[in-house]
Amino acid sequence: LTNLAGYRIYYGTNSSSLNQSVQITNRGISNYVIDNLSGATWYFSLVSYNSANVESPLSPVVSKKITS
């Protein structure tokens, strides 16, 4: 990926339907916290995108169980 502009984290409660996202425009960031997730198993994947808004392929999906 050339002309890195940032990252997007796609997430949701179904590993095959990551229907929410957050955009991170700080290219130098090394961690990010998504607040206020309800109790469930959440799935996450990351892409990078360039200045033309072209995304890389999704990273492997990871999961985290959140308890309320």
Side-chain angles (χ1 to χ4, degrees), residues 33-45:
V33 176
I34 299 174
D35 291 324
N36 300 317
L37 295 175
S38 61
T41 299
W42 287 86
Y43 300 89
F44 304 87
S45 185

Side-chain angles (χ1 to χ4, degrees), residues 18 44-46 57-63:
L18 304 175
F44 304 87
S45 185
L46 175 78
L58 287 168
S59 69
V61 176
V62 297
S63 65

Side-chain angles (χ1 to χ4, degrees), residues 3-63:
N3 299 320
L4 179 64
Y7 307 95
R8 288 189 186 95
I9 301 172
Y10 290 99
Y11 63 101
T13 56
N14 183 322
S15 63
S16 61
S17 178
L18 304 175
N19 58 3
Q20 298 180 60
S21 67
V22 62
Q23 182 168 316
I24 303 166
T25 57
N26 180 347
R27 296 174 292 166
I29 199 164
S30 62
N31 60 54
Y32 189 86
V33 176
I34 299 174
D35 291 324
N36 300 317
L37 295 175
S38 61
T41 299
W42 287 86
Y43 300 89
F44 304 87
S45 185
L46 175 78
V47 299
S48 55
Y49 64 92
N50 67 15
S51 57
N53 208 30
V54 176
E55 292 186 344
S56 68
L58 287 168
S59 69
V61 176
V62 297
S63 65

